Amino acid sequence: FQIAFFKRWWEEQDTEMHDKVRELVKNGQLEFINGGYCMNDEANAHYTATIDQMSVGLQFLQKEFGPYAAPRIAWQIDPFGHSSAQAGLSAQMGLEGLFFARMHYQDYQNRIDNKELEFNWVAEGGNIFTGKLFRHYSAPPGFCFASRCHDPPIVTNKKSPEYNLDERVATFVDLLREQADAYRSGHIMITMGGDFNYLNAHKYFKNLDILMKHVNADTANNGFKMIYSTPSRYMDAVLSNIKNLSNKTDDLFPYADGEHSYWTGYFTSRPTLKGYIRSMNSFLQACKHIELMAPATSYTSELLRLAMGVAQHHDAVTGTSKQHVADDYAERLAIGQTQCENLINTGIKHLTGSVNDLYSCRLAANESTCHITGDTTKSIFTFIVYNPRSIAKDIYLRIPMSSSAYRLVNPTDPTAFVSYIPTHYTSYQINPKALPIEAIVHLKVPGMGFTTFQLKKDFGIDYRIVMKSIPVVKTENIRIESESLIVYFDGESGSLKQVVDKKSQKTLRISAKFMNYRSNVGDKLDRQTSGAYIFRPVNGTVAQDIDRPILKNYLPGEFVTEVWQSFGDWVNLVYRVYVNKPYIEVEWTVGPIPMDHGREVILRYSTDLDSGKTFYTDSNGREMLRRVLDYQPTWSLNQTEPVAGNYYPVNSRISIKDMESHFTVLTDRSQGGSSLSSGQVELMLHRRMYKDDFKGVGEPLNETQFGHGLITRGRHWLFYSDLDSYGDHRDIGLDLFYQPVVSVGGDVEVGNIPRSGIQNTNKDLNVVTFERFDETSLIVRLENIRSKSEGGKMISADLKKIFGAYFSENFKELGLAGDRPIEKVVKDLKEHTKYDSGSVIVLKPLQIRTFILLK
C-alpha cells in the first residue's frame, strides 16, 4: 500500500468520510500494510532514503489514525529483486512479516519442490517472517473479475446458456490444490486483485462471494474453507501452525523470470536520474538540519521530502518509467530542491546575521556554471558552506568562475587555500555556457556546521596561476605522491598503472578502461532484448574496448593533481589525486552513445589481486554481501547468462580481496556491477538502446538532451589498502554521500558564524537524522557505521553532549520509522537497553537507533 495515493485521496475527503474511515481502522475492518509513502525499490534506493520515505508514510498514518493503523506487514510485491537491508530495516520499523512476488525462477521452483516459499529472513538489524506469493500479486489465472480483464463472470443460473458455476468452482479448487502443495502450514493466501483492479468493486466482490460460498459448501470433499482475510491474519495463522521455518541470510538478487531474462539492466538505467536522486538525498538532510536550526519561514522541506519519497518508487529510481514520467520525477525533485534552496539561504542569512541576500549554485551538477560567480561585474563573492555530515570534513570545493583573478580572503578556516584549473572540455558539450575556470577551494568544515570565505578580485592576478598542463615524456611514467598513496600513470596514454599504499607498503597493479557490451535485440535462443529492465548482451560476446586511451592533460597542483584521458569522441576520464585523501577520484563522462546499435557502457578496473571468483557488494549502503561467480548459496544455479546473471546492484560500493589487501570502488549513485574474472571490478555507467524489453515500459531506453544522446557524468573513489584498514571504506563512503551545501552572495557582511548543530568527533558514529518532528520535539537517528566483520565495536553516545542545546532529559526511543514506541518493535526491551545509562546510549555494530527529543 502506497500512502502517496491514499494521502491525496484523504485530503479531498470531508469530515464525515474521515470519521467513517477512522472507525473502520479502529475496529480492525480496514488494515494498512507496508505504510511507506511508496513501495520502494530495493536495488537502487539508499538506506537513508528508504528510512525517510517509510517514515513519511508511517508517521502520516500515526498522525491521522493513531496506533490502530500501525502496519505489521511489509508488502513489497512489485520490486524486481529483494535486499537483505530492506528486510532488516523493515524489522527495525516494527513490521513483523514481509511478502513479495518476484523471485529467480530457479530459486522459485526449488522452494516449491521443498515447500520453502515461506522462511525466516535473518537480516542485519532483525529477523522477519517472509513469504513468496505463489504466482504473482494478481488473481489466479481465469479468475480476474476486474472490468479490464476478460475472464468470464460466474453464472449461477442453470437456465442460462452461460451457466458455468460447476466448472468455475472445480477449476478454482484445482488451483487451490496446486498452491497448497507448495506450502507447509495448511493455510494459503489467494491474492485477488492487481494493477488498476476494483474500478468496479461491486462486480469483483459479487463474483468472489459466489466463489467462496460454493467452495465452502463442499469443504468436506474439497478440503478447503475460504475466508476474507488480510496479510497479517494470514501470517498469524501460518506461524500458529508451523515453527521450524528455514532461515535465509543472503538476498534475492539477481532476479530472472526466464533463462535469458535477467533483470539487471535497471541497476544502471537512467544514470543521471539516479545521480540526481542520490545528490538530493544528501541535500534533503542538509535542508532538514537548517530547517530545525533556523526560525520557521514560509519555506519548508516538505516538497522535497515528498518528491524524494516518490523517487524511491520501484519504477522511479530504477529508471524503468517512460521518458515523460522520468521527466516528471526530475521536475518534482527540482521544485523541492528550489524550495529547500530558499529555506537554506533564508535560514543561513538569519543564522549569520547577514543583511544581504544569499543564493544557491548547484555546484554538484553536471554543468560547470553558476549565475552568481559568472557575473564579471562583481568584485567579491561570499561563500557560506554547510557540512551535513556529523563530523568535521576536509573538503575540496569546486566553483565555476569567469576568471582566476580572485584571491581568497577572510576565511573562517585559516588553512583554507584556493587554486584554479581550466574547466574540462566536456563541460562545454553538456552546457555551451560553462564558465572557463574552476576555483578549487580546500577548507575544513565542522560537523553539521558552517564555514565561510570570500573570493575578491585582485587586478594584479591573472591566468598565470591557473594549473597548467605539463608536457610528459611518453616513455616515462607520471608519478604522483600523496600522504597515503603513490600513484603511477602511463606517460603516453595517461592510463592508471600502479598504486602503492604507503602505510602497508603494498603495491597494486591496476588498469582502467572503458568497454561496452552490444545489446541483444533477440536471437534464435530467445526473443528477449536488452531494455530498461533487462541486461542481455549479444550471446557469446564479451565487452569490447571503446577506443584507445589518449593522455589529454597532466595538471599537477599543490593540493590536487589531475590526469585527463579521452577514449574516442564520446568517453572521457579524469583522475584526481588529493594530497590528503586515501583514495583516487575517477570522474567519468560518457555520451552521447552512438546509436549504430544498442550499447551498455562499462568501466572495468583490472588488478593483480588474487580474488578468485569472490567479490562483495553493499546492500542499500548497509552490510556488505559476499558474491561468488556463477553461484547462489541456497540452490544449485544453472547459469544461462554468464554476464548478466552475475551482475548485482552496487548501491554505494563493490570490493575484491585477497589474503592481504582489498580494492574497493565507491560510487556516487547506484550502478550494476560484477567481478567476472579474478582481480577485476566492472561497473556499468550508461545504457542506450533502440528496442524495448517487453517488461512494461513500452518504449526503448533512448535518453536524449538538446537533440542528441544523453551525456552523463559521475564519480568513483578508488580505495586500496591492507585488510586491517578495509573498514575505512565506511568513513570514506559517508564523505562521498554527504556533499557540502553552499550559499553564495556578493559582498555579504557575515555577522557571526553559527555554531555546529551537534558535537561529534567519532567518525564511526553517524547522525542519520536531525530534523523537526512536530511543534514540540525533534527526531534524531544515530548509527554505528561499521559492521563487526570490519572491526566495528559497540559505541557509547551521550545524547546530551552530542546534541547540546537541542537535548532534553525528556527523551524516548522509537522504532526506526518514528511511528511507534520501541517496546512495540523489540521483543526484549531490557536486553535492548541493558548498556544504556541516563543520556548515554550504546550502539552495536551497524545498529541504528531513533529518539524523540522534546523541546
Side-chain angles (χ1 to χ4, degrees):
F1 200 91
Q2 303 181 81
I3 296 302
F5 294 108
F6 178 80
K7 181 174 180 288
R8 180 170 293 185
W9 174 84
W10 179 256
E11 290 171 347
E12 295 173 352
Q13 306 309 306
D14 58 20
T15 301
E16 182 181 0
M17 178 59 75
H18 283 179
D19 291 342
K20 287 180 180 179
V21 175
R22 288 191 174 107
E23 187 69 18
L24 291 172
V25 172
K26 186 175 181 180
N27 292 340
Q29 294 170 273
L30 176 62
E31 176 181 323
F32 290 95
I33 54 177
N34 212 52
Y37 199 65
C38 75
M39 187 187 296
N40 65 265
D41 175 53
E42 299 189 32
N44 301 286
H46 194 264
Y47 73 97
T48 56
T50 296
I51 292 170
D52 277 352
Q53 78 85 13
M54 288 295 295
S55 297
V56 169
L58 290 170
Q59 289 174 23
F60 169 83
L61 292 178
Q62 163 65 22
K63 177 184 176 182
E64 296 294 338
F65 302 101
Y68 307 106
R72 297 175 59 204
I73 298 296
W75 191 247
Q76 289 290 109
I77 58 170
D78 208 16
F80 329 119
H82 301 275
S83 73
S84 60
Q86 181 80 31
L89 295 173
S90 297
Q92 292 173 73
M93 291 174 189
L95 303 176
E96 302 165 46
L98 186 158
F99 291 94
F100 68 97
R102 301 182 192 269
M103 171 184 274
H104 193 292
Y105 70 99
Q106 294 177 23
D107 190 9
Y108 176 55
Q109 188 57 54
N110 178 68
R111 288 183 176 275
I112 285 178
D113 294 343
N114 292 290
K115 295 192 174 186
E116 290 189 341
L117 289 173
E118 293 167 334
F119 51 87
N120 179 43
W121 203 331
V122 182
E124 186 68 53
N127 303 347
I128 190 166
F129 168 79
T130 307
K132 162 75 174 76
L133 302 184
F134 184 61
R135 288 183 179 85
H136 199 49
Y137 54 78
S138 52
F143 291 87
C144 174
F145 303 117
S147 299
R148 66 196 301 267
C149 294
H150 303 290
D151 297 337
I154 300 174
V155 180
T156 59
N157 186 349
K158 292 186 177 181
K159 296 180 180 180
S160 170
E162 284 88 26
Y163 174 78
N164 62 2
L165 175 63
D166 295 339
E167 180 275 328
R168 291 281 77 197
V169 171
T171 299
F172 192 76
V173 168
D174 288 342
L175 292 169
L176 296 181
R177 289 196 178 105
E178 179 189 4
Q179 182 169 341
D181 285 345
Y183 294 84
R184 297 162 52 198
S185 72
H187 300 275
I188 57 175
M189 181 194 297
I190 308 298
T191 52
M192 299 299 296
D195 296 353
F196 310 111
N197 282 205
Y198 291 95
L199 297 176
N200 185 345
H202 175 75
K203 174 188 174 184
Y204 215 126
F205 280 109
K206 181 178 180 180
N207 279 273
L208 278 176
D209 287 344
I210 295 170
L211 192 61
M212 292 174 66
K213 174 183 176 181
H214 290 275
V215 169
N216 291 342
D218 198 27
T219 296
N221 292 317
N222 63 41
F224 292 100
K225 180 181 179 181
M226 294 179 66
I227 60 170
Y228 284 113
S229 188
T230 67
S232 65
R233 294 182 181 186
Y234 170 76
M235 175 186 68
D236 291 341
V238 170
L239 293 178
S240 68
N241 273 20
I242 188 168
K243 304 298 181 183
N244 58 335
L245 290 168
S246 62
N247 288 335
K248 183 174 182 63
T249 57
D250 58 321
D251 65 3
L252 290 164
F253 288 112
Y255 166 59
D257 61 351
E259 289 186 2
H260 303 287
S261 300
Y262 273 86
W263 297 50
T264 54
Y266 81 96
F267 300 159
T268 296
S269 296
R270 302 197 188 280
T272 52
L273 180 62
K274 282 179 166 63
Y276 189 26
I277 291 171
R278 181 63 56 86
S279 67
M280 284 301 96
N281 190 353
S282 169
F283 186 71
L284 174 60
Q285 309 315 314
C287 182
K288 293 187 292 186
H289 295 174
I290 294 173
E291 186 175 32
L292 176 60
M293 295 176 189
T297 68
S298 59
Y299 305 113
T300 75
S301 63
E302 184 72 4
L303 287 179
L304 188 55
R305 287 175 194 249
L306 300 185
M308 277 294 293
V310 171
Q312 309 315 310
H313 187 272
H314 56 273
D315 275 321
V317 69
T318 53
T320 54
S321 67
K322 291 183 183 294
Q323 184 62 58
H324 73 275
V325 179
D327 293 342
D328 183 65
Y329 290 133
E331 182 179 11
R332 289 170 183 263
L333 288 170
I335 293 169
Q337 180 181 5
T338 299
Q339 181 84 183
C340 266
E341 286 173 343
N342 291 332
L343 184 156
I344 289 169
N345 293 329
T346 304
I348 291 178
K349 178 180 176 181
H350 174 87
L351 292 170
T352 58
S354 171
V355 297
N356 306 91
D357 288 333
L358 297 168
Y359 305 92
S360 294
C361 280
R362 298 177 179 182
L363 302 181
N366 277 350
E367 305 177 17
S368 296
T369 186
C370 174
H371 66 287
I372 306 296
T373 58
D375 186 346
T376 58
T377 66
K378 300 290 186 183
S379 61
I380 190 167
F381 301 108
T382 303
F383 300 85
I384 301 173
V385 184
Y386 177 71
N387 168 23
R389 190 174 174 191
S390 56
I391 65 165
K393 279 184 66 171
D394 183 285
I395 67 171
Y396 291 86
L397 201 63
R398 301 179 77 94
I399 305 167
M401 301 290 292
S402 61
S403 124
S404 62
Y406 291 82
R407 60 187 175 90
L408 183 73
V409 296
N410 302 321
T412 309
D413 172 18
T415 67
F417 182 86
V418 65
S419 57
Y420 291 89
I421 193 168
T423 295
H424 196 275
Y425 50 85
T426 56
S427 295
Y428 300 104
Q429 294 177 269
I430 298 172
N431 183 356
K433 296 181 180 179
L435 297 176
I437 298 292
E438 287 187 347
I440 305 175
V441 183
H442 175 219
L443 70 164
K444 296 179 177 64
V445 192
M448 288 169 62
F450 303 84
T451 193
T452 184
F453 63 92
Q454 292 177 315
L455 293 176
K456 184 176 183 180
K457 185 171 283 188
D458 188 330
F459 294 100
I461 300 176
D462 59 28
Y463 280 87
R464 286 175 298 178
I465 68 167
V466 178
M467 291 163 56
K468 293 287 188 181
S469 182
I470 292 181
V472 178
V473 178
K474 292 185 178 181
T475 57
E476 296 180 1
N477 288 332
I478 299 171
R479 182 183 186 275
I480 304 171
E481 184 169 359
S482 69
E483 294 175 4
S484 303
L485 306 171
I486 303 173
V487 187
Y488 295 91
F489 297 87
D490 182 82
E492 180 176 2
S493 66
S495 295
L496 183 60
K497 291 185 68 175
Q498 187 172 290
V499 181
V500 179
D501 172 36
K502 293 169 70 173
K503 178 183 175 183
S504 66
Q505 290 298 302
K506 295 186 182 302
T507 299
L508 179 75
R509 297 190 183 280
I510 180 172
S511 65
K513 56 183 176 179
F514 287 94
M515 311 174 80
N516 58 207
Y517 293 101
R518 184 165 181 162
S519 304
N520 203 314
V521 294
D523 55 26
K524 293 180 180 179
L525 283 175
D526 199 299
R527 68 187 288 268
Q528 182 63 65
T529 61
S530 255
Y533 297 98
I534 303 297
F535 170 36
R536 188 186 179 211
V538 170
N539 188 51
T541 63
V542 295
Q544 301 295 316
D545 290 358
I546 287 178
D547 211 325
R548 181 174 62 89
I550 297 174
L551 175 63
K552 304 293 285 190
N553 267 331
Y554 165 46
L555 301 161
E558 185 173 352
F559 285 94
V560 59
T561 295
E562 298 195 358
V563 177
W564 295 6
Q565 266 189 310
S566 71
F567 293 72
D569 296 332
W570 53 278
V571 176
N572 289 271
L573 196 65
V574 176
Y575 293 103
R576 296 190 180 105
V577 180
Y578 295 95
V579 68
N580 62 340
K581 298 296 184 183
Y583 54 81
I584 302 166
E585 180 170 285
V586 177
E587 183 178 87
W588 46 266
T589 305
V590 179
I593 298 177
M595 274 300 281
D596 50 346
H597 54 76
R599 295 175 187 258
E600 333 242 357
V601 180
I602 66 167
L603 180 51
R604 178 178 288 171
Y605 301 98
S606 299
T607 76
D608 60 355
L609 282 185
D610 184 15
S611 59
K613 294 184 175 183
T614 302
F615 59 105
Y616 302 82
T617 64
D618 69 300
S619 183
N620 304 109
R622 293 274 287 158
E623 60 265 34
M624 297 294 288
L625 298 183
R626 180 175 180 263
R627 312 295 192 184
V628 179
L629 207 62
D630 299 326
Y631 173 79
Q632 285 288 339
T634 58
W635 87 92
S636 180
L637 173 66
N638 174 28
Q639 186 60 271
T640 53
E641 283 287 333
V643 177
N646 282 301
Y647 257 61
Y648 289 87
V650 179
N651 197 280
S652 66
R653 69 210 72 188
I654 179 172
S655 297
I656 54 174
K657 305 176 185 178
D658 62 13
M659 298 301 292
E660 298 180 338
S661 306
H662 77 95
F663 172 66
T664 300
V665 184
L666 297 104
T667 66
D668 67 348
R669 70 201 66 194
S670 287
Q671 296 175 328
S674 188
S675 175
L676 299 178
S677 295
S678 181
Q680 283 186 356
V681 167
E682 68 177 59
L683 288 154
M684 187 176 291
L685 310 180
H686 198 0
R687 317 176 70 225
R688 190 183 189 191
M689 49 215 62
Y690 57 89
K691 291 281 188 179
D692 180 42
D693 58 14
F694 317 115
K695 296 298 182 182
V697 179
E699 64 185 34
L701 184 65
N702 179 19
E703 294 185 278
T704 60
Q705 62 176 31
F706 312 127
H708 55 71
L710 178 72
I711 301 174
T712 186
R713 177 182 286 169
R715 291 181 295 165
H716 292 160
W717 284 3
L718 313 184
F719 175 43
Y720 167 66
S721 74
D722 61 12
L723 291 180
D724 288 343
S725 300
Y726 172 64
D728 290 349
H729 73 82
R730 296 286 179 182
D731 176 43
I732 296 170
L734 288 182
D735 270 353
L736 181 55
F737 174 74
Y738 288 108
Q739 291 299 301
V741 174
V742 183
S743 292
V744 189
D747 189 6
V748 176
E749 185 174 334
V750 179
N752 61 286
I753 303 302
R755 294 181 59 192
S756 173
I758 65 151
Q759 300 296 319
N760 175 34
T761 58
N762 188 343
K763 68 179 182 179
D764 289 343
L765 177 66
N766 182 41
V767 177
V768 179
T769 302
F770 181 67
E771 63 185 76
R772 183 175 290 127
F773 187 68
D774 56 30
E775 295 298 324
T776 61
S777 59
L778 60 147
I779 184 170
V780 299
R781 294 186 180 92
L782 294 93
E783 170 190 28
N784 183 342
I785 68 173
R786 289 197 189 226
S787 69
K788 192 173 182 180
S789 65
E790 297 164 351
K793 303 181 184 302
M794 289 197 295
I795 292 176
S796 294
D798 189 334
L799 301 180
K800 187 173 184 178
K801 289 182 178 179
I802 292 171
F803 296 105
Y806 295 99
F807 176 74
S808 166
E809 297 290 349
N810 189 13
F811 71 93
K812 61 182 178 180
E813 186 171 4
L814 301 178
L816 185 60
D819 70 316
R820 63 194 76 183
I822 190 63
E823 52 266 30
K824 295 291 186 179
V825 176
V826 300
K827 294 180 180 179
D828 189 337
L829 185 61
K830 187 176 180 180
E831 175 68 21
H832 178 75
T833 60
K834 72 176 182 179
Y835 298 111
D836 298 349
S837 177
S839 64
V840 178
I841 60 103
V842 174
L843 294 156
K844 299 173 185 175
L846 273 188
Q847 187 179 19
I848 305 174
R849 295 179 68 179
T850 304
F851 297 90
I852 292 292
L853 308 180
L854 299 178
K855 293 181 181 178

